[in-house]
Amino acid sequence: MNQNASEFEAPPTLPALLWRFRAMRFWPLWLAIALLRALAWLPLPVIYALGWVGGGLAYALHRPRRRIAGRNLRACFPGSTEADIRRLARAHFRAVVIAVLAGGIAWWGSRARMRRLTQFRNRDIYERVRARGAPIIVLAPHFVGLEHGGLRLSVSTPMVSMYQRHKNPLLDAFIKRRRARFGAIQFDRRRAPKTMLRLIRGGRPFYYLPDQDPGRNAAVFAPFFGVQAATFSALGRLAGITGATVIPCATRLLPFGRGFEIIFGAPLADYPSGDQVADATAMNRAIESLVAQAPAQYLWSHRRFKTRPPGEPAFY
């Protein structure tokens, strides 16, 4: 299938990146990328141990993000004790740092290593839909293992995904390059080009990240763990246009560096309904079910409830 080059950006080559971002202000980020590349050579249990220690330090030192995580957890798990909230938040910070340090494996690890480090739960759900040749939207909320999950699925079948531009141009360009290494095609989140829709209809699974705060103008409000959350309404429209089956999916870190587990949930039933709020609520309910599988590994340090319904006070 021919793609219209104006609708997506081909990943830049490494020499092009080195030349374009040769200015001294980019050197610290290049050093961080080199460090991440070096870490990718280490066994995952060693990376896990480093991240466990580093995550404990991050929890102790990064007060603003610690407060955000605590606020989110108290709202979403109102029956938990303060000791439970602190324990869960600390485990979350450790999971975040482990995932960041292990990111080099997702970006540079061989196909064989990606397969070896990943196990699946309920993979038959995904494979049955693929075997029918039906379009698929993989509903992939923001768990810490998100990067690894998308790239591991791309090892077997090249994916389609959306991206949101990063403020740092080097990081933005580099992330796009690494995510495309197994043939994934990425489109700017600000638009849904016709080529992307054709690719989904033609059998490329769409790895869709739905659960950031989209702001008031792009959102409907739907409950997430009982809290009204500004929620993207695009999933229902995309499923309706493409006729895709929506399969929830989360990627979690296994304990002690034993690898990653990609978990598939039951496809969303009778979806889309045609009602934006009902569809957003169904999506959030599916994400809640995934969070129950690995509560500490959802991105609680993100300001998920920043945008409030009219008349409500600031959440943070």
Side-chain angles (χ1 to χ4, degrees):
M1 181 181 295
N2 294 324
Q3 288 90 34
N4 184 340
S6 67
E7 293 184 339
F8 67 92
E9 297 181 25
T13 64
L14 183 58
L17 284 178
L18 288 167
W19 178 255
R20 191 194 316 172
F21 300 107
R22 64 191 183 277
M24 187 176 295
R25 65 189 177 95
F26 294 114
W27 290 7
L29 183 53
W30 278 119
L31 181 62
I33 291 171
L35 177 60
L36 197 63
R37 179 67 182 91
L39 285 170
W41 292 101
L42 295 176
L44 188 55
V46 175
I47 296 173
Y48 185 96
L50 292 172
W52 194 90
V53 173
L57 289 172
Y59 175 80
L61 298 175
H62 205 318
R63 184 179 179 185
R65 287 294 168 182
R66 187 173 73 237
R67 289 179 65 247
I68 291 169
R71 179 74 176 97
N72 287 336
L73 289 166
R74 290 183 192 94
C76 293
F77 301 103
S80 298
T81 66
E82 276 301 306
D84 289 337
I85 294 297
R86 287 194 296 272
R87 187 162 42 248
L88 194 54
R90 188 179 294 109
H92 167 69
F93 273 76
R94 284 181 167 137
V96 168
V97 176
I98 292 166
V100 169
L101 297 184
I105 296 174
W107 283 3
W108 289 284
S110 67
R111 291 175 184 265
R113 191 180 188 194
M114 295 286 285
R115 290 190 176 101
R116 187 173 66 253
L117 288 177
T118 311
Q119 62 189 52
F120 291 86
R121 192 191 310 176
N122 302 328
R123 188 175 185 175
D124 59 307
I125 292 173
Y126 179 68
E127 295 299 341
R128 281 200 302 267
V129 180
R130 280 190 60 207
R132 297 202 310 264
I136 295 174
I137 296 176
V138 178
L139 175 63
H142 282 75
F143 280 71
V144 299
L146 181 71
E147 196 80 13
H148 182 92
L151 280 160
R152 173 58 186 90
L153 292 176
S154 288
V155 167
S156 302
T157 306
M159 310 286 287
V160 179
S161 66
M162 281 184 175
Y163 69 91
Q164 186 164 321
R165 291 183 183 273
H166 198 280
K167 292 179 181 179
N168 185 298
L170 169 55
L171 187 58
D172 181 73
F174 200 86
I175 288 174
K176 282 188 286 189
R177 171 178 163 78
R178 299 321 302 168
R179 286 178 177 173
R181 72 190 188 100
F182 295 128
I185 295 178
Q186 300 164 84
F187 295 88
D188 193 319
R189 182 183 283 278
R190 293 172 298 182
R191 53 185 177 170
K194 293 180 181 179
T195 297
M196 184 187 80
L197 300 176
R198 287 202 305 270
L199 289 170
I200 296 170
R201 290 193 195 103
R204 280 208 183 210
F206 177 36
Y207 196 66
Y208 180 57
L209 288 58
D211 55 331
Q212 288 184 318
D213 189 314
R216 192 177 305 280
N217 293 335
V220 297
F221 284 94
F224 182 59
F225 284 100
V227 182
Q228 288 296 310
T231 304
F232 279 110
S233 60
L235 179 62
R237 294 195 301 274
L238 287 170
I241 292 169
T242 61
T245 299
V246 179
I247 303 176
C249 174
T251 303
R252 76 178 185 104
L253 300 163
L254 295 174
F256 308 112
R258 293 202 298 263
F260 301 83
E261 182 183 43
I262 297 178
I263 305 167
F264 292 107
L268 270 59
D270 301 318
Y271 192 89
S273 69
D275 182 300
Q276 287 189 344
V277 174
D279 289 343
T281 300
M283 181 184 76
N284 285 349
R285 194 177 299 122
I287 296 172
E288 292 173 15
S289 296
L290 292 172
V291 171
Q293 309 296 316
Q297 297 191 28
Y298 185 69
L299 199 60
W300 298 113
S301 47
H302 167 65
R303 292 190 294 174
R304 179 65 186 88
F305 305 112
K306 177 182 177 181
T307 302
R308 306 310 307 140
E312 282 199 13
F315 194 84
Y316 302 102

